[in-house]
Amino acid sequence: MDESVFLGRNMSIAYRMANRFYDRVLAPWGIGCGQQFFLLRIYEHQGISMYDLARMGLYDKGTVTRAVQKLEELGYVRCEADEHDRRIRRLYATEKAEPVVQEGYAARIRWNEMLTQGMTPEEAETVKDLVSRVAENAILALEQEEKKSNDI
């Protein structure tokens, strides 16, 4: 089997299992893996714009808009127009979001522990570093491919 296919397959499996885990853990609060990233980033960066939120996670505007709307409907996030530029919407986590955020943090710790089960601390750190490098390589590769396509 081609090594790139093998790596991609395993990354895809890990990603899908993570989604299922977060969906299950966060279901009591009415959100799933799709909203947890956004809620945690908003909580950590009170007043972040939707544009900066999209850039932080490399998401398109539509994905961010849908996730934020769901979080707003549930009362976990509030949006305010920027005082200097009314076109910019600033996002803030509400008090109601606090238990959901704490559960999100706890779930992230549990998931990381499950993923590194049976590894030494050094192996776990190596995996973290290598997966980070894979993600950075993926971003660079796609940027280069998009640049090539635009240059044609």
Side-chain angles (χ1 to χ4, degrees):
M1 174 181 278
D2 178 49
E3 199 60 33
S4 64
V5 173
F6 181 72
L7 178 61
R9 177 181 174 274
N10 287 331
M11 292 181 69
S12 176
I13 290 169
Y15 173 76
R16 286 180 282 127
M17 295 305 104
N19 286 351
R20 288 175 56 191
F21 172 78
Y22 287 112
D23 282 345
R24 189 172 295 126
V25 167
L26 298 171
W29 286 276
I31 69 169
C33 66
Q35 295 84 35
Q36 65 97 17
F37 167 85
F38 300 104
L39 182 57
L40 294 179
R41 293 303 87 65
I42 293 166
Y43 180 82
E44 293 164 356
H45 304 277
Q46 296 286 331
I48 191 171
S49 71
M50 291 181 74
Y51 174 77
D52 288 336
L53 187 59
R55 280 190 16 202
M56 186 178 283
L58 301 174
Y59 288 98
D60 62 84
K61 291 187 318 184
T63 300
V64 174
T65 300
R66 284 187 298 278
V68 168
Q69 284 175 339
K70 169 98 174 182
L71 293 170
E72 261 187 300
E73 289 169 11
L74 293 169
Y76 299 141
V77 168
R78 65 182 166 77
C79 297
E80 294 179 9
D82 184 271
E83 60 186 49
H84 302 294
D85 186 343
R86 307 297 281 167
R87 296 170 297 177
I88 298 173
R89 294 176 65 198
R90 299 282 173 196
L91 307 170
Y92 301 89
T94 65
E95 195 174 310
K96 182 180 179 184
E98 184 70 29
V100 185
V101 167
Q102 295 312 315
E103 182 60 33
Y105 287 143
R108 187 165 51 183
I109 290 167
R110 283 195 317 272
W111 184 244
N112 284 339
E113 288 171 351
M114 287 184 241
L115 290 178
T116 57
Q117 183 177 349
M119 295 181 195
T120 66
E122 294 79 17
E123 288 171 328
E125 191 64 28
T126 298
V127 167
K128 185 184 89 173
D129 292 343
L130 291 173
V131 171
S132 291
R133 195 176 326 162
V134 167
E136 290 169 15
N137 287 344
I139 293 165
L140 290 172
L142 188 57
E143 287 173 353
Q144 290 171 353
E145 288 299 313
E146 288 174 346
K147 187 176 186 304
K148 281 184 200 174
S149 296
N150 292 335
D151 290 345
I152 295 177

